[in-house]
């Protein structure tokens, strides 16, 4: 007989065996695991001894928890991204981590390769499903999905490393795997003083969104990004048209090519460079900067230029390209690291390493850096499981060995600037760049510009200094030196109330009548700035604000917010606008002196000694002569705004309906034989609103419905509307989908319910947000109602019944009508329902209803419905769940009525 202690140990051991079978053992483990179970075991004590031996021989990692890292990217839809072999990169990183002694005692790392569609809607769907499957996520690549990914990852507690997002900063559970590409580009442009840039993107969604995100990031740093344009998907003609738009626009120093590099086989960049050579733009007057090379490491030498060997035109054009890329120290390369891995049998022996994209190393690094954050976070809390936010906070200080260089705190500069010589047959390292330090040091070989030229001239350094006016010459800090003034005898007595005559008066003078009567030189500079606005805009002071003179004077006198004229960049040169803004600075000592102001005007006027009024009039004449150019620019801006309006309209109405309304044709109501509708609302929303400030209520609904919107993108559904806390979705309209509508809505409802379980309000995280969900299937009529703010509305008894299903449901429950249950059973996709019983539906009588509780294969956590006390309402919040300070606010708002429900 076994002793009691042996029996207890045996029971615990047996209970742990299933976990062992889930972990991937070492290569020798299958025979050890298989042999004992195949033999007859004569005695339980022998079984126990063999199991003890097995536990002693198994590596510690086999008994640890599993941390799954998802690698999300366009691996299946983009052949160049697929050449990065993300499957091999991620698996090799995980294998090295699991055998690293420094990681011993931590979780076992496993990887899941997740495909991201190349279109933006598909990318959003992929993000929504990815965060529910992993502990940490590397990706997405499409910048349009970055913000939804941050929100979803934060709700799910998943650490996120979105290496493809140009301007990503550490926030919540989000951390960049390496320096954001916008920071690196800005550091390079600043070093060469190339402020005026244009962006040309490939036509695919991924690159268009990357261009927009990069332009936003550069503009936020103060650079005048002159143009963002996408190539048409039509070979050389599309490239020529894009470059003509660059030629016709404001002069630029650099063109950033947001597309696959020609060195990796990118066809769009090949066409763009060949077109630049044809149009004479590759003569050194412009520099072309590839964007995608910021995300991986190209190395000096002839190998990277192999694809240009047989194309002399392309080699000549590539002479105008400067390639900023990640640095592999000590003369190494991604290819060298790949060869070493293949020699150590970490990669398949038949793998053609020449065909592997250097992005392989970036994927490897992202997984490794994420693991470093996990290790540091676990060490900080004594070895227990850690949240995504904790992992992210430790990623900033993590130092781990990367694929070809150390990550985090490396002594080597992380970027290198590569260039070709006149022969164009190899890449040379010219400069080493460290964006965090802002340092650029020579690597030995000077930059070579085409035709032996000097390259694009520099822009004024003031573009890179937010404290300086940029006036076309060298900017300088304003001087406090004041040598003119107006005698006090000439000043008008100060009125006791605001008048139109005070529109030119500085704010400090408006606040002090005695000072206004006396006057100051700084106040005169402010008045000069207002006069400049009058001349430039050909309008009265502050005319564009649509305020009365008295209102303007009152706002100038009593900020915040600051009240100043608004002058757009098309009304005057940027230098003139900046000078105006400095003249009307709120702090008098920040305004330039009169001498300094006239010096700046001389520079704007190219040194000619004319008075300020003549100079302003000459600029106005110049603008009149360039009216045709202004009209063309306005036409382009109008087209962009039209595209934005069209996108917004299709978000508010179905595309077919939106198109009919734009054409002015009537939209006839349409009958749908069968659809499935979803209704949900927030339990106790009235109570939550009474306890919250208005802005807190808006933030709650915005955060929650942004989360819902991201989820519904992965289902064939149409969001009808939100009214207050009510959220309405339909499937089967406006596009019919057979009987799939019931399954689509049911799957969506399960995903939403799972996400709500971990959702927390910003201002009251301790109060749970519970929702009730109701589903119903049946016929309905859909049509557009109204001319002002038209709405796509649904009508019929099905809508009413679906609403009743929600209102008679319970918190954290999906209440389903028998009509929907019949369809789900007919589809036979494993949906699990429970009978609720006979339920009274207002206006419908008593009907048999059901709870939808899950689906076969659905493994996301679903929040447990709260226990309701007899007689309690399903529409309120328990008193015990409300924080004391919020409870007091609620009692003040509803004296004598607060029941605690």
């Amino acid at each position: 007989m076994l002793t009691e202690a042996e029996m207890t140990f045996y029971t615990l051991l047996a209970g742990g065996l299933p976990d062992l079978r889930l972990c991937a053992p070492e290569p020798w483990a299958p025979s050890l695991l298989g042999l004992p179970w195949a033999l007859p075991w004569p005695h339980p004590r022998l079984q126990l001894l063999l199991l003890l031996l097995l536990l002693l021989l198994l590596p510690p990692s086999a008994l640890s928890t599993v941390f799954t890292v998802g690698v999300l990217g366009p691996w299946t839809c983009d052949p160049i991204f697929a050449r990065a072999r993300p499957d091999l990169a991620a698996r090799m990183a995980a294998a090295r981590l699991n055998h690293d002694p420094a990681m011993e005692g931590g979780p076992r790392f496993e990887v899941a390769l997740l495909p991201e569609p190349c279109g933006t809607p598909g990318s959003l769907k992929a993000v929504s499903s990815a965060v529910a499957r992993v502990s940490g996520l590397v990706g997405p690549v499409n910048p349009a999905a970055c913000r939804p990914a941050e929100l979803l990852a934060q709700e799910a507690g998943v650490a996120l490393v979105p290496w493809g997002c140009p301007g990503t900063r550490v926030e919540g559970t989000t951390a960049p795997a390496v320096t954001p590409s916008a920071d690196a580009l800005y550091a390079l442009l600043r070093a060469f003083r190339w402020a005026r840039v244009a962006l040309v993107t490939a036509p695919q969604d991924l690159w268009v969104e990357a261009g927009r995100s990069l332009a936003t990031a550069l503009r936020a740093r103060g650079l005048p990004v002159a143009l963002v344009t996408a190539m048409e998907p039509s070979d050389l003609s599309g490239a020529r048209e894009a470059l003509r738009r660059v030629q016709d626009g404001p002069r630029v120093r650099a063109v950033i090519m947001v597309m696959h590099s020609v060195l990796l086989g990118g066809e769009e960049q090949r066409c763009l460079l060949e077109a630049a050579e044809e149009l004479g733009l590759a003569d050194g007057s412009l520099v072309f900067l590839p964007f995608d090379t910021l995300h991986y490491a190209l190395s000096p030498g002839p190998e990277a230029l192999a694809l240009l060997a047989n194309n002399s035109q392309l080699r000549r054009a590539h002479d105008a390209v400067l390639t900023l890329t990640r640095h592999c120290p000590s003369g190494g390369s991604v290819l060298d690291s790949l060869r070493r891995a293949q020699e150590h049998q970490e990669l398949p022996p038949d793998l053609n390493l020449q065909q592997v994209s250097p992005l392989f190393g970036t994927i490897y690094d992202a997984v490794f850096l994420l693991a470093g954050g996990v290790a540091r976070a676990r060490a900080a809390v004594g070895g227990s499981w850690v949240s995504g936010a904790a992992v992210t906070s430790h990623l900033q200080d993590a130092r781990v060995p990367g694929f070809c260089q150390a990550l985090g705190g490396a002594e080597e500069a992380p970027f290198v600037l590569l260039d070709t010589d006149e022969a164009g047959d190899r890449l040379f390292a010219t400069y080493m760049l460290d964006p965090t330090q802002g340092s650029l040091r020579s690597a030995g070989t000077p930059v070579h510009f085409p035709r032996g030229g000097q390259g694009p001239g520099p822009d004024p350094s003031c573009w890179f200094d937010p404290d300086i006016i940029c006036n076309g010459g060298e900017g300088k800090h304003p001087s406090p030196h004041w040598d003119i003034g107006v005698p006090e005898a000439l000043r008008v007595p100060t009125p006791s109330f605001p008048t139109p005559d005070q529109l030119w008066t500085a704010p400090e003078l408006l606040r002090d009548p005695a000072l206004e009567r006396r006057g100051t030189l700084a106040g005169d500079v402010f008045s000069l700035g207002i006069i400049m606005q009058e001349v430039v805009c050909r309008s009265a002071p502050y005319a564009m604000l649509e305020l009365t003179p008295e209102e303007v004077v009152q706002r100038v006198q009593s900020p915040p917010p600051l009240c100043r004229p608004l002058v757009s960049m098309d009304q005057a040169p940027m230098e003139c606008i900046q000078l105006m803004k400095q003249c009307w600075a709120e702090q008098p000592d920040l305004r330039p002196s009169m001498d300094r102001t006239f010096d700046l005007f001389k520079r704007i006027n190219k040194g000619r000694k004319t008075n300020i009024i003549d100079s302003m009039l000459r600029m106005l004449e110049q603008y009149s002569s360039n009216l045709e150019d202004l009209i063309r620019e306005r036409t382009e801006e109008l087209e962009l705004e039209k595209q934005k309006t069209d996108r917004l309209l299709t978000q508010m109405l179905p595309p077919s309906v939106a198109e009919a309304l734009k054409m002015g044709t009537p939209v006839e109501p349409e009958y749908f034989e069968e659809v499935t509708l979803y209704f949900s609302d927030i339990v106790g929303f009235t109570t939550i609103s009474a306890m919250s400030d208005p802005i807190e209520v808006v933030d709650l609904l915005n955060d929650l419905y942004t989360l819902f919107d991201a989820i519904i993108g992965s289902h064939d559904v149409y969001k009808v509307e939100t009214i207050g806390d009510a959220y309405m979705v339909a499937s089967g309209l406006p596009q019919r989908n057979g009987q799939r509508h019931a399954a689509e809505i049911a799957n969506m409802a399960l995903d939403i319910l799972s996400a709500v379980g971990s959702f927390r309000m910003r201002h009251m995280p301790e109060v749970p947000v519970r929702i009730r969900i109701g589903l119903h299937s049946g016929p309905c009529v859909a049509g557009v109602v109204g001319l002002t703010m038209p709405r796509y509305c649904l009508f019929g008894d099905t809508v009413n019944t679906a609403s009743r299903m929600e209102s008679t449901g319970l918190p954290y429950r999906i209440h389903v009508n028998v009509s929907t249950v019949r369809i789900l059973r007919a589809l036979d996709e494993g949906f699990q329902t429970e009978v609720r019983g006979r339920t009274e539906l207002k206006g419908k009588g008593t009907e048999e209803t059901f709870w939808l509780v899950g689906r076969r294969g659905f493994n996301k956590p679903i929040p447990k419905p709260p226990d309701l006390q007899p007689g309690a309402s399903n529409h309120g919040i328990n008193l015990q769940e409300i924080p004391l300070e919020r409870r007091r606010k609620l009692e003040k708002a509803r004296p004598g009525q607060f029941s605690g429900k």
Side-chain angles (χ1 to χ4, degrees):
M1 296 291 293
L2 293 174
T3 66
E4 182 177 353
E6 290 173 334
M7 183 63 74
T8 301
F9 181 77
Y10 179 82
T11 303
L12 292 174
L13 187 61
L17 284 178
D19 291 334
L20 293 179
R21 292 195 295 272
L22 289 177
C23 296
E26 298 297 330
W28 48 263
S31 60
L32 184 63
L33 289 173
L35 180 59
W37 294 106
L39 295 176
W41 289 19
H43 196 280
R45 197 182 302 272
L46 178 58
Q47 298 180 26
L48 179 61
L49 292 175
L50 288 173
L51 289 173
L52 281 173
L53 178 62
L54 174 63
L55 288 176
L56 291 174
L57 291 177
L58 279 177
S61 60
L63 302 176
S64 60
T65 55
V66 173
F67 190 99
T68 302
V69 179
V71 181
L72 179 66
W75 318 125
T76 58
C77 65
D78 189 308
I80 296 183
F81 273 110
R83 283 174 46 203
R85 296 308 302 266
D87 52 339
L88 298 179
R91 284 201 209 103
M92 188 168 76
R96 290 182 177 181
L97 288 167
N98 292 332
H99 289 86
D100 187 351
M103 295 289 183
E104 188 171 345
R108 180 177 181 83
F109 290 94
E110 294 185 355
V111 294
L113 195 67
L114 306 173
E116 177 185 357
C118 287
T120 297
S123 178
L124 295 173
K125 295 180 183 179
V127 166
S128 175
S129 60
V131 294
R133 301 172 52 188
V134 298
S135 309
L137 183 63
V138 173
V141 175
N142 189 329
C146 289
R147 184 54 182 162
E150 291 173 2
L151 290 171
L152 290 169
Q154 188 171 355
E155 290 301 323
V158 171
L160 182 66
V161 183
W163 58 267
C165 304
T168 301
R169 302 283 183 175
V170 176
E171 179 181 356
T173 61
T174 305
V178 282
T179 305
S181 52
D183 287 350
L185 263 178
Y186 178 79
L188 176 69
L189 296 171
R190 181 172 184 170
F192 284 92
R193 284 173 48 188
W194 295 328
R196 302 177 186 274
V197 298
L199 276 69
V200 179
T201 78
Q204 295 82 11
D205 274 12
L206 187 153
W207 298 113
V208 172
E209 295 295 344
R212 290 172 180 166
S213 181
L214 178 61
T216 299
L218 292 178
R219 284 169 176 152
R221 290 162 174 80
L223 297 191
V225 179
L227 180 70
V228 181
T229 184
M231 291 173 54
E232 296 296 329
S234 56
D235 300 331
L236 275 173
S237 61
R240 293 190 192 101
E241 183 60 31
L243 289 176
R244 287 194 182 99
R245 288 195 286 269
V246 174
Q247 283 181 306
D248 295 340
R251 184 181 178 186
V252 297
R253 308 290 185 186
V255 175
I256 301 173
M257 302 178 291
V258 187
M259 57 193 69
H260 281 303
S261 170
V262 67
L263 303 183
L264 298 187
E267 280 298 304
E268 289 89 357
Q269 192 171 115
R270 178 187 64 79
C271 293
L272 189 72
L273 291 176
E274 289 179 351
E277 175 70 12
E278 288 181 9
L279 297 174
L281 295 179
D283 60 352
S285 59
L286 288 177
V287 66
F288 290 82
L289 302 174
F291 168 74
D292 70 317
T293 57
L294 295 163
H295 299 99
Y296 50 80
L298 287 175
S299 295
E303 292 178 332
L305 299 179
L307 292 178
L308 311 185
N310 299 322
N311 190 329
S312 58
Q313 181 188 14
L314 190 55
R315 285 204 309 275
R316 289 195 302 271
H318 201 271
D319 199 18
V321 177
L322 285 180
T323 302
L324 185 63
T325 186
R326 301 200 178 277
H327 174 51
C328 283
S330 304
S333 67
V334 172
L335 184 59
D336 293 336
S337 299
L338 288 169
R339 287 170 179 154
R340 287 192 294 270
Q342 196 172 50
E343 290 171 0
H344 289 86
Q345 300 181 353
E346 294 178 290
L347 293 173
D350 58 345
L351 179 65
N352 186 350
L353 301 184
Q354 298 288 346
Q355 296 296 322
V356 177
S357 165
L359 194 63
F360 182 104
T362 305
I363 298 168
Y364 175 100
D365 289 349
V367 175
F368 232 80
L369 192 66
L370 184 58
V374 173
R376 290 181 62 88
R378 294 184 77 256
V381 296
S384 60
W385 188 257
V386 290
S387 66
V391 172
T392 297
S393 65
H394 288 84
L395 270 175
Q396 305 172 62
D397 303 320
R399 297 185 180 183
V400 296
F403 194 64
C404 68
Q405 72 166 348
L407 302 176
E411 295 182 0
E412 293 270 358
F415 288 90
V416 61
L417 186 65
L418 305 179
D419 190 19
T420 58
D421 59 5
E422 189 171 0
D425 57 358
R426 64 179 297 157
L427 287 175
F428 296 90
T430 61
Y431 287 96
M432 307 302 299
L433 177 69
D434 188 343
T436 58
Q437 302 296 326
S439 63
L440 185 75
R441 59 180 176 83
S442 174
T445 303
V447 170
H448 172 267
F449 291 103
R451 280 70 163 171
Q454 299 299 314
D459 285 316
S461 59
C462 48
W463 283 112
F464 300 94
D465 191 333
D467 299 324
I468 293 179
I469 293 177
C470 201
N471 62 359
E474 182 181 356
K476 292 184 179 179
H477 289 279
S479 169
H481 178 66
W482 304 107
D483 17 16
I484 64 172
V486 179
E488 182 177 351
L490 298 180
R491 296 189 180 275
V492 180
T494 304
S496 57
F497 53 86
T499 67
D501 291 337
Q502 293 178 306
L503 289 173
W504 294 264
T505 307
E508 68 274 10
L509 304 186
L510 292 173
R511 300 178 193 124
D512 187 345
L515 189 62
E516 184 176 1
R517 286 192 298 271
R518 191 166 61 250
T520 64
L521 297 179
D524 292 345
V525 174
F526 182 95
S527 303
L528 178 61
I530 302 299
I531 294 172
M532 291 165 60
Q533 175 254 294
E534 291 183 86
V535 176
V536 166
C537 299
R538 291 166 286 180
S539 64
Y542 303 90
M544 67 291 296
L545 300 185
E546 298 183 354
L547 299 171
T548 65
E550 291 77 13
E551 290 174 329
V552 170
V553 172
Q554 183 64 37
R555 294 192 181 192
V556 172
Q557 180 180 0
S558 305
L562 288 181
C563 182
R564 296 292 188 272
L566 299 176
V567 182
S568 61
M569 287 188 292
D570 62 333
Q571 293 178 295
M574 176 62 74
E575 301 90 339
C576 186
I577 295 175
Q578 286 185 317
L579 179 58
M580 275 189 280
K581 290 182 177 179
Q582 192 152 12
C583 285
W584 61 53
E586 182 70 13
Q587 298 296 327
D589 55 352
L590 294 181
R591 301 170 196 156
S593 66
M594 285 291 184
D595 287 343
R596 177 63 180 157
T597 301
F598 282 107
D599 286 342
L600 293 176
F601 256 104
K602 288 178 183 178
R603 296 188 182 186
I604 295 173
N605 203 38
K606 303 191 183 331
R608 291 190 292 272
K609 295 183 179 180
T610 56
N611 63 57
I612 185 172
I613 303 301
D614 290 342
S615 177
M616 301 299 288
L617 291 175
R618 186 174 296 107
M619 282 190 285
L620 292 178
E621 292 173 359
Q622 200 171 17
Y623 272 93
S624 298
S625 64
N626 295 333
L627 184 59
E628 184 177 345
D629 293 337
L630 291 175
I631 292 175
R632 184 182 64 253
E633 292 176 9
R634 289 296 170 279
T635 303
E636 292 177 357
E637 292 175 1
L638 180 62
E639 179 62 26
L640 290 175
E641 292 301 322
K642 180 179 179 296
Q643 294 175 5
K644 293 178 184 177
T645 303
D646 289 346
R647 283 197 298 269
L648 179 61
L649 188 60
T650 55
Q651 290 175 348
M652 299 174 62
L653 296 169
S656 58
V657 173
E659 195 62 32
L661 290 177
K662 286 194 297 181
M663 298 297 293
T665 59
V667 180
E668 298 296 333
E670 188 173 4
Y671 177 78
F672 294 87
E673 296 80 5
E674 192 173 61
V675 299
T676 298
L677 303 183
Y678 165 104
F679 274 89
S680 69
D681 76 351
I682 302 174
V683 175
F685 181 72
T686 302
T687 303
I688 292 174
S689 300
M691 294 187 294
S692 310
D693 295 332
I695 188 61
E696 293 173 335
V697 176
V698 173
D699 287 341
L700 162 62
L701 293 178
N702 184 57
D703 290 345
L704 184 63
Y705 291 156
T706 299
L707 177 64
F708 286 9
D709 291 346
I711 291 173
I712 68 174
S714 58
H715 303 279
D716 181 17
V717 299
Y718 175 75
K719 177 181 173 182
V720 180
E721 63 181 345
T722 58
I723 301 178
D725 65 323
Y727 195 84
M728 180 182 179
V729 183
S731 182
L733 62 79
Q735 299 297 325
R736 293 172 173 81
N737 56 5
Q739 287 196 323
R740 284 296 310 164
H741 50 82
E744 295 292 338
I745 288 290
N747 284 323
M748 180 202 74
L750 289 170
D751 285 342
I752 286 179
L753 187 59
S754 175
V756 168
S758 59
F759 179 84
R760 291 293 180 268
M761 291 183 275
R762 298 186 204 174
H763 63 290
M764 286 192 297
E766 61 277 8
V767 177
V769 176
R770 302 188 181 103
I771 65 171
R772 288 186 309 273
I773 299 175
L775 312 183
H776 179 55
S777 303
C780 79
V781 173
V784 176
V785 175
L787 295 177
T788 302
M789 294 184 65
R791 293 171 54 200
Y792 185 70
C793 296
L794 309 185
F795 304 93
D797 188 60
T798 302
V799 180
N800 298 330
T801 304
S803 176
R804 297 285 183 264
M805 295 300 295
E806 175 273 312
S807 61
T808 58
L810 293 177
Y812 286 157
R813 287 282 199 178
I814 303 174
H815 196 198
V816 190
N817 195 278
V818 66
S819 60
T820 307
V821 173
R822 290 195 191 102
I823 301 174
L824 293 177
R825 288 173 177 170
L827 292 172
D828 193 23
E829 295 187 3
F831 289 98
Q832 300 162 357
T833 59
E834 294 177 356
V835 177
R836 180 189 186 182
R838 307 290 292 179
T839 305
E840 179 71 25
L841 302 180
K842 184 177 179 182
K844 301 286 293 182
T846 303
E847 294 187 4
E848 188 84 8
T849 61
F850 299 79
W851 302 123
L852 176 62
V853 296
R855 189 194 74 243
R856 185 174 60 245
F858 183 84
N859 55 7
K860 298 179 185 178
I862 293 180
K864 180 182 178 182
D867 295 330
L868 293 180
Q869 301 300 324
S873 168
N874 64 334
H875 293 265
I877 299 177
N878 291 330
L879 177 63
Q880 292 75 15
E881 295 175 330
I882 303 175
L884 181 59
E885 65 277 7
R886 298 281 177 173
R887 196 184 311 166
R888 290 172 179 163
K889 183 175 182 179
L890 181 62
E891 291 171 346
K892 290 180 181 178
R894 297 159 61 184
Q897 300 180 18
F898 183 59
S899 62
K901 294 290 190 292

